[in-house]
Amino acid sequence: MNFSVLKINNLILKGIEDAGYTEMTDIQQSTIPVALEHHDIVAQAPTGTGKTCAFIVPTLEQVDLTKHEVQILVICPTRELALQITDEYKKIGKHIAQLKILTIFGGQKIDRQLKELKKLPQIIVGTPGRILDHLERRSLNLTKVKMAVLDEADEMLDMGFIRDIDKILKTTNHERQTILLSATMPKPILDITKRYQKNPQWFKATFDEKEIPIIKQFYIHVNESNKVKVIEKVIADNKFYLVLIFTNTRHKAKKLVFQFRNDHLQADALHSDLKQNARERVMRAFRDGKIQILIATDIAARGIDVKGVDAVFNYDVPKNMEYYVHRIGRTARAKAPGSAYTLISSDLQGNIRTIERKINDKLIECKVEGVDFDAQSNERGFSRERESYPRKRFEGGEGHSHKRFERPDNREGGYQNKRFGADKPFRRHDDNARTFQQDPRSKADAKRFFVNIGSDQGVDNQSLKGVLLKECQISPENIKDVWVKEGFSFVEIGNSELQKLENLKEINGHRIRVAEAKPRSTERSSGGPRPFNRERSNSRRPFKSGSGFKKPRY
């Protein structure tokens, strides 16, 4: 069915045509005519079936441009999805001159939103937390809402927003029309339909034959330490350009960015620690093809709709199998084919069967040839299999359970058994430890600098060194020392390339400030612990009685 058969405003039809939509999808054909007749709707629809357009068209039709008040409220789980819905509203409603749409979500400055709310928009698209915030501030009035839309209701349930949704809907006009869209229908979602909808019409959408996305789904057996190398090999072999990688934690997403950048691949991450301007920058760069690899967590990736994503990689198997469907749905958009790869370690073998039951299909095993796994674990800063060394038991007896490794003195990068001493070999570079040089203070041709980013922002020694090599184009021999602490770092750079530090502008979405630091104190060895100072340790400030503090017990 063509959109032209709908009894809607010609300006909306023109916007639909300009957006490139011609025939309605199954969910649009079923729900739009019913919504135009002011019925409540519950629609169960997977990603990619056109459900966003299914509620945008009837909501636009109901807007009264002569009234400057909030008439349409769309609630969704994440800022990315809110921005995507707003973009779709602007495309379809671009010929409606007096239409005002406002997006409100956490992470954006509240003052800016307060200023925009004073302009009295007709349509509000927002996340539950920030909508509730404005209601409590009394900067948002929802008593005139004609239509409320709950998009991705199951995701809002998973994120703990159900109570917020209850509070929001109670402030709206009780005669409003309500549309609820969800990929799944757990009991709490059904409870919402009973409390806030009046005789809703139920629809369950599936892909029709023309709409089914062509996604080839594979699994790859691989150890954790070799996952990055395998992904790089698959990308190279298949000549993928835009790739989306999913992890279960934001910490891993941050770490993977630097591992890919160290291999000269354009990569960035999307996770909950990023501020809104950084999120928008990352998404814009990915859409424009300026970065080829986007690493995201499930929550941060909700609402990502980028055409041309060649493949999705599940670096981690999703904890919730519902996420698997959402993840792979980010490829094969706009009827283009796509591929999905799930990396499985031996201890997670059973997850393959779980996924297959979920999708009612079989995953294809993909064997990656020509990857030198041993070389990767030694060359790169990834987690490595523990090497075996001769063991020696403590003197506690043959049955004592504690063991330690004795590393040979002549082994490159190993330790001698002496804990202190000038002849102690230097420690091999490790991601989570500082880099020790022979004597950084003795290098007269280098300067030490303070950098306002550290491990709290997802940076370690290896990743920071990779940025200096790649972004600043500093040669390896001129990076004398890198030392990452929790909230800051120190780098020591050869004098011949100091001016290249000016290229260090941003890391992981954080603006970088570089300042010259004092040379390291000569009182401490670069590798040894701080010497014990008995006089200093005993010189404690006395506690006054009645100060509210208990006297410490020494």
Side-chain angles (χ1 to χ4, degrees), residues 106 127-134 161 164 168:
T127 53
R130 185 50 65 95
I131 292 172
L132 191 59
D133 187 5
H134 281 291
F161 285 140
D164 291 349
I168 292 167

Side-chain angles (χ1 to χ4, degrees), residues 47-48 207-218 240 309-312 328-341 361 364:
T47 300
F207 292 103
D208 64 34
E209 196 168 320
K210 293 180 180 179
E211 296 166 348
I212 295 175
I214 305 170
I215 305 176
K216 294 180 180 178
Q217 299 176 58
F218 304 90
F240 292 145
V309 174
D310 297 310
V312 169
I328 69 171
R330 305 301 154 189
T331 186
R333 310 293 270 193
K335 300 181 182 179
S339 301
Y341 297 84
D361 200 355
I364 305 167

Side-chain angles (χ1 to χ4, degrees), residues 228-248:
V228 170
K229 200 70 173 179
V230 165
I231 291 174
E232 291 176 355
K233 185 68 166 62
V234 173
I235 291 173
D237 289 349
N238 293 277
K239 296 181 173 59
F240 292 145
Y241 186 74
L242 287 183
V243 169
L244 188 56
I245 300 175
F246 283 97
T247 67
N248 288 342

Side-chain angles (χ1 to χ4, degrees), residues 367-434:
K367 294 184 178 180
V368 181
E369 304 291 343
V371 177
D372 186 356
F373 295 128
D374 292 335
Q376 171 187 323
S377 61
N378 289 330
E379 291 171 5
R380 307 280 304 283
F382 305 149
S383 57
R384 294 180 289 272
E385 295 289 334
R386 185 186 294 274
E387 299 177 52
S388 58
Y389 296 97
R391 296 180 179 179
K392 182 178 178 180
R393 297 182 184 275
F394 282 118
E395 296 178 0
E398 197 64 29
H400 202 284
S401 61
H402 294 88
K403 301 175 183 179
R404 65 184 173 90
F405 288 114
E406 285 285 341
R407 304 187 186 225
D409 292 349
N410 60 353
R411 180 181 178 274
E412 180 185 355
Y415 289 107
Q416 289 183 342
N417 292 333
K418 299 176 183 178
R419 187 173 180 184
F420 303 100
D423 58 343
K424 178 182 176 183
F426 311 118
R427 183 158 60 181
R428 183 178 295 181
H429 186 85
D430 182 78
D431 280 350
N432 299 315
R434 64 173 283 192

Side-chain angles (χ1 to χ4, degrees), residues 101 210 255 276 291 296 311 324 356 359 366 428 504 535:
I101 306 163
K210 293 180 180 179
K255 188 173 182 179
Q276 184 54 33
I291 59 174
Y324 178 83
E356 289 176 340
I359 64 174
C366 175
R428 183 178 295 181
L504 194 60
E535 181 180 350

